[in-house]
Amino acid sequence: DAKTTQPTSMDCAEGRAANLPCNHSTISGNEYVYWYRQIHSQGPQYIIHGLKNNETNEMASLIITEDRKSSTLILPHATLRDTAVYYCIGVFTGRRALTFGSGTRLQVQP
Amino acid sequence: EPEVTQTPSHQVTQMGQEVILRCVPISNHLYFYWYRQILGQKVEFLVSFYNNEISEKSEIFDDQFSVERPDGSNFTLKIRSTKLEDSAMYFCASSVLPPNTDTQYFGPGTRLTVL
């Protein structure tokens, strides 16, 4: 799986967009980029994933650069409940284990 | 919305005792997983299970651990003789077997405390 690099922590004002970057320069062609988050000690929560194209769902948008070496998770209107650790994970098709790194601790400020 | 459930939410046990952690995966899912997270550390993969067999396991998943799907709904993790270092949050996850994606959905976890 590609090694991913994320900032240790970020702050965001409530109501503003939170942009969380992830570098995955060694990602291979058939490796998806997945984003999960973990609120306090709860189970990781799936957010979004993509391969090449940008993706959007009800929670977030995922912007993947054309060379696929980096991506950005966008929470369009962050709320206090979005305070969590966000994980960017590379997943090979067919590989079942998720390898969690340290993630980015996002603190949404009132 | 369907979700993965886990019981108990908190288990306290004495060192050397056996524990069984229980999970009910999402009903139409076919792959099942266990992960653990020691306090303050990363979430670590333990094992994946499909078609009544272990499909992948990590170095952590040694002979003290076993998994079972005893019926059509439950998925269990057994630790035969608990050690102090087994104290952690244990998360169960499940996924559909799709052709090219592996979205795993996690339960709320069981906090295991070994005294």
Side-chain angles (χ1 to χ4, degrees):
Chain A
D1 295 340
K3 178 175 165 51
T4 60
T5 306
Q6 300 178 252
T8 304
S9 64
M10 293 181 64
D11 286 345
C12 175
E14 189 177 19
R16 304 298 292 266
N19 297 290
L20 292 92
C22 178
N23 286 320
H24 33 78
S25 57
T26 61
I27 198 167
S28 60
N30 61 349
E31 197 167 354
Y32 283 78
V33 177
Y34 271 74
W35 284 83
Y36 283 79
R37 72 180 181 184
Q38 189 175 26
I39 297 171
H40 195 48
S41 294
Q42 297 176 23
Q45 179 187 21
Y46 166 74
I47 302 173
I48 198 167
H49 74 279
L51 184 62
K52 296 179 184 176
N53 300 321
N54 298 336
E55 302 288 346
T56 296
N57 64 18
E58 65 277 4
M59 287 183 69
S61 295
L62 174 60
I63 308 297
I64 302 174
T65 58
E66 196 169 337
D67 62 8
R68 301 189 70 239
K69 292 184 185 301
S70 65
S71 59
T72 301
L73 178 75
I74 301 172
L75 307 177
H77 306 287
T79 71
L80 298 178
R81 287 175 295 182
D82 292 322
T83 292
V85 179
Y86 286 77
Y87 301 99
C88 167
I89 303 171
V91 179
F92 273 114
T93 300
R95 178 132 195 277
R96 299 297 167 182
L98 292 175
T99 304
F100 287 82
S102 300
T104 296
R105 183 171 298 277
L106 175 69
Q107 180 71 48
V108 180
Q109 306 283 359
Chain B
E1 183 176 321
E3 56 184 23
V4 176
T5 59
Q6 292 185 241
T7 54
S9 56
H10 190 187
Q11 173 95 44
V12 181
T13 190
Q14 296 289 326
M15 191 169 56
Q17 294 296 304
E18 174 183 288
V19 295
I20 297 176
L21 310 183
R22 290 183 168 79
C23 167
V24 179
I26 295 173
S27 63
N28 64 332
H29 286 191
L30 300 176
Y31 266 82
F32 315 113
Y33 316 81
W34 285 101
Y35 292 79
R36 79 171 185 190
Q37 185 175 32
I38 296 170
L39 186 63
Q41 298 188 22
K42 299 175 185 178
V43 177
E44 301 173 290
F45 167 74
L46 292 178
V47 65
S48 62
F49 191 85
Y50 168 69
N51 200 26
N52 281 321
E53 289 184 343
I54 290 175
S55 49
E56 186 179 1
K57 61 182 181 178
S58 71
E59 293 176 352
I60 303 168
F61 194 87
D62 61 21
D63 292 343
Q64 291 298 313
F65 292 90
S66 63
V67 289
E68 191 179 32
R69 187 152 164 84
D71 53 44
S73 59
N74 289 284
F75 179 52
T76 62
L77 175 69
K78 181 193 291 186
I79 309 175
R80 288 190 182 81
S81 178
T82 50
K83 308 182 186 76
L84 295 176
E85 54 266 35
D86 293 327
S87 293
M89 284 290 291
Y90 287 81
F91 297 109
C92 174
S94 69
S95 67
V96 181
L97 181 60
N100 60 356
T101 60
D102 291 280
T103 303
Q104 297 180 24
Y105 296 90
F106 286 76
T110 292
R111 180 174 299 282
L112 177 65
T113 301
V114 182
L115 302 176

